[in-house]
């Protein structure tokens, strides 16, 4: 009897994992047809908070341990999250909207990326920060085809142009123009990318 090689076993395991993610995507689409598009693949341990305010478009892939959340609606605010077609969200990412987060098509979010559009208030002495409420940072827009590398944080009021790159471990806030490479904490434009 022939013993399968490690490479063969790894390939078979990868196929198994992708199939399971596809089954989860189909199940979520049956339960939440307004939220989950066609051919969506969902990893294990997905936290999907207030799904009526979230849209995962066709072909989105979400890896394991991801949080996608929109705060509850109020009379004056309806927080939303849109993740565009064929976007890939890697392990451990957190996407939390108190206003609006719009992630374009074919975007790559590396492991442990955080995208938030609100900050905790901390201007009341003697009041625990957890009880001080939130401060709106403005909506977040990540353009089509962008790449946000591992461990980066994208804060409220940020506009990342299509095709731009955010280097690993960056903290991004602000609106940028053209196709750029951003890096640092706080992030700054390192250079304009070709074709800009």
């Amino acid at each position: 009897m022939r013993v399968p090689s490690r490479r063969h076993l790894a390939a078979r395991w990868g196929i198994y994992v992708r199939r399971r993610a596809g089954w989860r995507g189909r199940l979520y689409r049956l339960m939440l047809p307004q939220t989950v598009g066609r051919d969506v693949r969902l990893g294990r341990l997905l936290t999907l908070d207030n799904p009526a305010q979230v849209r995962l478009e066709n072909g989105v892939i979400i890896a394991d341990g991801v949080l996608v959340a929109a705060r509850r609606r109020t009379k004056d605010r309806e927080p939303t999250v849109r993740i565009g077609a064929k976007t890939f969200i890697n392990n451990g990412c957190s996407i939390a909207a108190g206003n609006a987060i719009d992630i374009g098509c074919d975007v790559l979010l590396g492991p442990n990326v955080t995208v938030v559009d609100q900050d905790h208030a901390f201007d009341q002495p003697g009041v625990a920060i957890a009880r001080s409420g939130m401060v709106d940072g403005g909506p977040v827009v990540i353009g089509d085809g962008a790449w946000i590398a591992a461990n980066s944080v994208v804060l409220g009021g940020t506009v990342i142009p299509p095709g731009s790159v955010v280097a690993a471990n960056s903290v991004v806030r602000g609106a940028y123009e053209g196709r750029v490479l951003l890096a640092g904490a706080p992030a700054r434009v390192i250079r304009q990318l070709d074709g800009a």
Side-chain angles (χ1 to χ4, degrees):
M1 178 175 186
R2 184 175 172 194
V3 177
S5 68
R6 284 186 183 190
R7 188 175 187 180
H8 179 72
L9 290 173
R12 288 182 66 191
W13 180 254
I15 291 168
Y16 170 76
V17 169
R18 286 190 292 278
R19 282 185 182 159
R20 294 284 302 254
W23 295 334
R24 275 190 289 277
R26 287 190 290 277
L27 178 62
Y28 271 71
R29 182 164 167 76
L30 282 172
M31 295 186 308
L32 302 166
Q34 300 301 314
T35 298
V36 180
R38 293 184 323 274
D39 301 321
V40 169
R41 288 190 274 170
L42 302 174
R44 297 173 299 124
L45 306 174
L46 170 66
T47 301
L48 187 58
D49 194 15
N50 291 324
Q53 296 158 234
V54 174
R55 178 70 181 144
L56 308 177
E57 294 186 348
N58 298 341
V60 166
I61 299 172
I62 296 180
D64 295 342
V66 171
L67 164 73
V68 180
R71 291 181 66 110
R72 286 193 185 135
R73 291 182 178 115
T74 63
K75 291 178 184 176
D76 58 342
R77 180 175 300 184
E78 184 173 336
T80 58
V81 175
R82 182 189 78 91
I83 300 175
K86 298 181 182 175
T87 287
F88 177 71
I89 311 292
N90 213 324
N91 295 323
C93 289
S94 297
I95 301 166
N99 189 336
I101 294 175
D102 185 35
I103 299 174
C105 300
D106 290 312
V107 172
L108 298 173
L109 265 61
N112 304 311
V113 167
T114 300
V115 181
V116 293
D117 65 1
Q118 289 188 326
D119 296 324
H120 287 280
F122 52 87
D123 57 350
Q124 300 176 37
V127 178
I129 292 174
R131 309 276 179 258
S132 295
M134 303 298 283
V135 176
D136 191 8
V140 172
V141 177
I142 300 175
D144 295 345
W147 172 29
I148 315 299
N151 303 312
S152 293
V153 178
V154 179
L155 299 172
T158 296
V159 177
I160 298 174
S164 293
V165 176
V166 175
N169 302 307
S170 297
V171 178
V172 185
R173 174 176 276 165
Y176 301 89
E177 294 182 12
R179 190 169 169 255
V180 293
L181 169 62
L182 300 166
R188 62 185 180 84
V189 175
I190 301 301
R191 66 183 170 96
Q192 295 286 326
L193 298 175
D194 294 337

